[in-house]
Amino acid sequence: REMLLLGADIEQHGEIPVAKLDLTESVVKRFAEDARSAGADVLEILIASPGRQAGNGALLAQRLERASESRTRILTALEEGHLAFLGALSCAGVAGRHTIAVVDVGGGSAQIVTGTRKGGPTWARSIDLGSQRLTSRILSEDPPGAPAISTARIEVDRYLAGLDPPPARALLAVG
């Protein structure tokens, strides 16, 4: 696992700087080599919000495809949410007919998906605000202090305004 903080770079520069592209490429190359050494026959690189939000997201995808020698694609926000939903339900003990909400908090975005184990996702939304983006924008001091936390809550509420997910019996958070 590597924390590359691409969301912070995108928040600050609007794109991923060349040095960070180089680092990301080397990390993915190493991960792909490790996966193949461990016996992986098929490898696919799925890029989440950095690919969608960075001005040079297509370049990121090209470089990671070259580094991994694998099919690489940028996920839509809804694809990202649906994968999080399916992944969360694969290891949670929730009945098949109960409505479940899954919140996937990433660094640059967050997805909210509801549905059932049996029927799959039925409602999904994405917001372009994640933990790293919020931290870069508002919570830069450690600890952030009460005024910054209050400002962060207002920012999150602004992004959540108008979202009206169906009621759920259980909530799972992933990230």
Side-chain angles (χ1 to χ4, degrees), residues 66-170:
R66 181 180 68 211
S68 65
E69 299 176 3
S70 302
R71 181 173 180 245
T72 301
R73 68 186 182 93
I74 298 170
L75 294 172
T76 68
L78 294 181
E79 286 175 320
E80 184 178 356
H82 284 190
L83 288 172
F85 182 87
L86 296 172
L89 289 186
S90 74
C91 57
V94 182
R97 297 193 196 290
H98 295 301
T99 299
I100 302 145
V102 174
V103 178
D104 176 12
V105 179
S109 68
Q111 289 70 43
I112 305 162
V113 180
T114 63
T116 64
R117 178 183 301 280
K118 192 168 184 111
T122 56
W123 184 94
R125 299 294 184 276
S126 179
I127 60 172
D128 280 340
L129 186 68
S131 59
Q132 185 58 49
R133 181 166 277 196
L134 186 65
T135 299
S136 297
R137 190 178 295 169
I138 298 170
L139 303 170
S140 58
E141 293 184 23
D142 187 15
I149 291 172
S150 178
T151 301
R153 285 188 173 131
I154 292 167
E155 183 76 346
V156 170
D157 286 344
R158 187 172 69 82
Y159 275 84
L160 294 176
L163 292 183
D164 190 20
R169 183 147 190 192

